[in-house]
């Protein structure tokens, strides 16, 4: 049985006061949830130190939103995996569509970041997803499989033992337009079957979470799909009540 994982991606939001309040409210609201569900939050780099102090019980895991592919060096403005590990970070998003699109991250860079995360003991959450045009062209399955293969050709199939996949269709991010449970399930199943061709055991244990306008009203149905193992939640994770309700629907 795969443990569900719900991660709140706070993107470029929050002040110290808001981060403190949000974590306290999530901590309180999710007390008593069973170990069927694991909860994570992903604040900005700047708020990781504070978040790490507030999450010291370890019940709420910390996820970083990004990292650089090198462990140290002259890379002004970047943050390395060992630095994140020192702050108690467990997960790190890799290849989020906002990084791929706005910051022009290539498949090669995404693969290098994925490897760098694992080399420091962090679990990469590899984000995959098609654009609206690609969906309309019927290319969704092909696109996400190609994105996955681009990383697997560098990192190797065995690396998926220590990773999470997040299917995030770009057309569903921040648009209020969620993929239907059937649409999301279909892509998750395609990804799992693709991995199973190389390693059935890894395919069975790998968590594949869904992201894109997840909210308290649609979470339960999404999470009840056979291959959907939780959610990567953007906007709705900035409201403690809404996020707690999403976490509860995975329990
Ligand atoms: P929204 O939940 O705001 O659509 O964002 C999804 C996302 O990008 C999570 O990483």
């Amino acid at each position: 049985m795969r443990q569900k994982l719900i991660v709140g991606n706070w993107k470029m939001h929050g002040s110290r006061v808001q981060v403190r309040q949000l974590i306290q409210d999530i901590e309180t609201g999710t007390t008593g949830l069973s170990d069927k569900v694991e909860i994570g939050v992903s604040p900005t780099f700047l708020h990781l130190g504070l978040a790490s102090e507030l999450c010291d019980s370890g019940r709420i895991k910390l996820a970083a939103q990004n990292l650089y592919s090198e462990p140290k060096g002259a890379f002004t403005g970047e943050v390395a995996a060992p630095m994140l590990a020192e702050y108690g970070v467990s997960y790190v998003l890799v290849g989020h569509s906002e990084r791929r699109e706005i910051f022009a991250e290539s498949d090669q860079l995404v693969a290098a970041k994925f490897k760098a995360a694992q080399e420091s003991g962090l679990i990469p959450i590899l984000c995959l997803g098609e654009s609206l045009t690609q969906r309309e062209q019927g290319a969704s399955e092909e696109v996400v499989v190609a994105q996955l293969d681009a990383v697997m050709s560098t990192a190797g199939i065995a690396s998926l033992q220590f990773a999470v996949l997040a299917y995030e269709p770009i057309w569903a991010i921040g648009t209020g337009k969620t993929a239907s449970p059937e649409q999301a399930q279909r892509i998750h199943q395609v990804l799992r079957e693709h991995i199973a061709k190389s390693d059935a055991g890894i395919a069975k244990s790998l968590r594949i979470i869904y992201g894109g306008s997840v909210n308290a009203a649609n979470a339960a149905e999404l999470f009840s799909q056979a291959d959907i193992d939780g959610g990567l939640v953007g906007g709705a994770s900035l409201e403690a009540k809404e996020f707690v309700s999403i976490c509860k629907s995975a329990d």
Side-chain angles (χ1 to χ4, degrees), residues 98-153:
E98 287 152 15
R99 302 291 323 168
R100 293 181 193 258
E101 295 213 318
I102 306 170
F103 301 99
E105 290 195 7
S106 65
D107 281 341
Q108 287 70 23
L109 182 59
V110 170
K113 289 183 173 194
F114 181 97
K115 278 188 77 173
Q118 289 190 328
E119 279 159 13
S120 288
L122 305 175
I123 300 177
I125 300 178
L126 174 62
C127 303
L128 313 166
E130 82 283 10
S131 66
L132 184 58
T133 313
Q134 290 167 328
R135 173 151 288 262
E136 286 169 352
Q137 289 166 346
S140 309
E141 297 177 13
E142 194 185 310
V143 167
V144 294
V145 166
Q147 287 171 335
L148 175 62
D149 282 347
V151 174
M152 288 309 99
S153 63

Side-chain angles (χ1 to χ4, degrees), residues 9 11 93 96 98 168 172-176 211-214 232-236:
N9 175 8
K11 307 192 180 181
L93 306 186
H96 190 283
E98 287 152 15
E168 295 209 306
I173 295 177
T175 58
S213 299
V214 174
L232 185 52
V233 186

Side-chain angles (χ1 to χ4, degrees), residues 121-231:
L122 305 175
I123 300 177
I125 300 178
L126 174 62
C127 303
L128 313 166
E130 82 283 10
S131 66
L132 184 58
T133 313
Q134 290 167 328
R135 173 151 288 262
E136 286 169 352
Q137 289 166 346
S140 309
E141 297 177 13
E142 194 185 310
V143 167
V144 294
V145 166
Q147 287 171 335
L148 175 62
D149 282 347
V151 174
M152 288 309 99
S153 63
T154 304
I157 190 80
S159 68
L160 285 179
Q161 261 178 291
F162 309 103
V164 171
L165 300 185
Y167 169 53
E168 295 209 306
I170 297 169
W171 49 272
I173 295 177
T175 58
K177 224 175 165 191
T178 323
S180 70
E182 296 73 27
Q183 283 174 323
Q185 163 58 25
R186 174 67 198 151
I187 300 292
H188 285 229
Q189 184 185 343
V190 164
L191 287 168
R192 204 180 296 287
E193 285 172 353
H194 181 68
I195 295 159
K197 285 184 229 153
S198 305
D199 192 312
I202 290 178
K204 200 163 171 227
S205 62
L206 176 70
R207 290 183 292 179
I208 308 178
I209 63 178
Y210 168 79
S213 299
V214 174
N215 59 41
N218 60 29
E221 205 186 344
L222 283 162
F223 301 161
S224 68
Q225 303 298 309
D227 291 293
I228 301 184
D229 305 310

